[in-house]
Amino acid sequence: MQNSGAEPRSDWTRAEIAALFDLPFGDLMFLAQATHRAHHTANEVQLCTLLSIKTGGCPEDCGYCSQSAKADTALKAEKLMDVAAVLASAAEARAAGSQRFCMGAAWRNPKDRDLPALVEMIEGVRALGMESCMTLGMLTGDQARALAAAGLDYYNHNIDTSPENYGNVITTRTFQDRLDTLEEVRAAGINVCCGGIVGMGETRDDRVGFIHALATLAHHPESVPINSLIPIKGTVLGDMLADTPLARIDEIEFVRTVAAARITMPRSMVRLSAGRESMSDAGQALAFMAGANSIFTGDRLLTTANAGDSRDAALFGQLGLAPLIGDEPMRALAAAE
Ligand code: SAM
Ligand code: DTB
Ligand code: SF4
């Protein structure tokens, strides 16, 4: 196992990752916990909050997403929110203890004319003492540099699944398009948040390929969100899984994926992301034991319900988990209050 001083490996083979998935569950959890404790403070979980700053009407055809114009959902397309409303929502999230504010837009890519408002949002979130994160679709190098200059801390851009399965989920862009934007984000000096979804009817081998693609990036993403598909009526995958409920992923297999992310990307924050609302408390507890150390808080994700603060507070109490207070400015703010 790697110790916290060594550079994390980027030379994982698919066979090695498949072997992790194949371990007896107890052995996999033991390895994941040991890795977790060598690199992170045990029992601390980072709290992040999401806001959809531009909802619906997206030209991409991601099979899981309620916001695709191709999905037959009741969601109506909205315009980019006002800066003041976004910052009011960020202040609320901060008051509820959240450390990071993640702003998501249903775009294939932002237009340059949107940048001034996005810059104000980033500056405003940072002025509240929170980390800023955005997910806006594909970026050009110039756009990434403009967001970096505004102080954007993280950019979320998921690879979602294995390279082989990508075309079964999304046809309006390629896996390589995703990697290109990730490179622009990294080159601009913004921290990378990149993960994906399990439970889309993919194979175990696809889950291995998904973790392999992340763990072999030259520089591991600082944040790795692992989403469990929320099957939304009117989306391709939501409707497909409604017809074949047995295709839904079981919690143990989900937890194996979290553990594989933890072991192969030891320094990254692994986020137990979408899907917590329908997960059992025991399933979430196993995911934390497998090395997940970040969640989305609050009642909503982007367009769907989240577990909610009161259920989370009860679970944290039951499991002895505490919110992670991240960097020095956040610690100073917390101490001053
Ligand atoms: N439009 C931007 C993009 O796709 O890069 C950002 C927003 S998009 C909603 C962010 C991520 O949310 C997706 O990459 C996917 O991993 C996750 N997501 C979207 N719908 C989901 C669902 N129904 N269940 C689980 N995860 C979902
Ligand atoms: C990520 O990996 N998960 C978040 C965030 N990045 C942007 C989004 C989850 C969305 C779940 C479905 C919805 O609420 O529309
Ligand atoms: Fe658009 Fe993002 Fe939804 Fe895909 S996941 S349809 S890019 S909002």
Side-chain angles (χ1 to χ4, degrees):
M1 203 187 60
Q2 309 170 53
N3 63 49
S4 46
E7 260 312 297
R9 289 178 53 191
S10 282
D11 63 351
W12 291 93
T13 65
R14 268 180 94 125
E16 281 178 307
I17 295 173
L20 289 176
F21 271 87
D22 283 343
L23 282 173
F25 190 68
D27 294 357
L28 178 64
M29 293 296 275
F30 183 75
L31 188 53
Q33 257 298 301
T35 309
H36 187 68
R37 284 166 188 260
H39 295 268
H40 301 271
T41 306
N43 307 312
E44 280 195 353
V45 177
Q46 176 190 48
L47 309 182
C48 309
T49 303
L50 270 171
L51 176 69
S52 180
I53 59 170
K54 194 273 159 209
T55 304
C58 182
E60 303 270 25
D61 70 351
C62 312
Y64 45 76
C65 186
S66 59
Q67 306 199 69
S68 165
K70 307 229 165 68
D72 187 12
T73 53
L75 212 67
K76 71 173 184 14
E78 290 170 16
K79 290 215 284 266
L80 182 62
M81 280 174 70
D82 283 343
V83 176
V86 171
L87 297 183
S89 178
E92 238 175 74
R94 180 178 173 281
S98 188
Q99 182 196 347
R100 187 179 300 175
F101 196 63
C102 308
M103 296 161 269
W107 285 323
R108 175 172 166 83
N109 51 264
K111 307 255 183 327
D112 286 345
R113 64 164 188 265
D114 299 316
L115 281 173
L118 298 172
V119 164
E120 277 186 60
M121 290 174 195
I122 295 165
E123 290 172 348
V125 167
R126 299 191 91 231
L128 287 168
M130 300 179 88
E131 292 175 341
S132 57
C133 176
M134 282 187 164
T135 178
L136 314 168
M138 295 188 241
L139 295 182
T140 63
D142 282 346
Q143 290 175 330
R145 285 185 285 277
L147 297 174
L152 185 65
D153 297 292
Y154 286 81
Y155 195 77
N156 167 247
H157 201 66
N158 289 345
I159 58 163
D160 277 328
T161 189
S162 66
E164 314 81 75
N165 192 38
Y166 201 76
N168 297 326
V169 179
I170 300 149
T171 68
T172 46
R173 57 171 188 256
T174 63
F175 196 82
Q176 187 59 46
D177 287 331
R178 283 320 243 192
L179 297 180
D180 291 348
T181 291
L182 288 169
E183 261 184 38
E184 296 292 5
V185 168
R186 181 62 81 204
I190 303 171
N191 292 304
V192 170
C193 172
C194 181
I197 314 185
V198 293
M200 298 191 289
E202 75 283 344
T203 61
R204 159 73 71 88
D205 193 45
D206 287 321
R207 290 186 280 280
V208 169
F210 159 56
I211 296 295
H212 179 256
L214 293 171
T216 53
L217 289 172
H219 199 125
H220 292 165
E222 282 75 13
S223 289
V224 178
I226 309 286
N227 298 277
S228 176
L229 179 76
I230 301 177
I232 301 171
K233 212 166 156 281
T235 62
V236 174
L237 288 167
D239 290 347
M240 188 181 94
L241 291 171
D243 294 340
T244 50
L246 286 180
R248 293 290 299 277
I249 194 165
D250 70 76
E251 290 187 344
I252 300 292
E253 183 67 12
F254 179 83
V255 169
R256 282 186 184 276
T257 312
V258 171
R262 166 51 64 228
I263 294 163
T264 55
M265 293 170 279
R267 286 189 190 163
S268 305
M269 301 297 290
V270 175
R271 185 168 313 116
L272 177 53
S273 302
R276 285 199 308 119
E277 212 233 349
S278 59
M279 213 174 276
S280 68
D281 286 354
Q284 290 195 58
L286 284 176
F288 291 128
M289 287 174 67
N293 59 348
S294 176
I295 58 168
F296 287 123
T297 58
D299 293 337
R300 284 198 83 65
L301 293 167
L302 292 174
T303 68
T304 62
N306 193 25
D309 290 342
S310 50
R311 181 174 166 202
D312 287 342
L315 187 63
F316 273 42
Q318 212 180 3
L319 302 180
L321 299 175
L324 175 152
I325 300 177
D327 51 21
E328 288 309 313
M330 286 297 292
R331 284 190 196 274
L333 267 173
E337 280 169 3

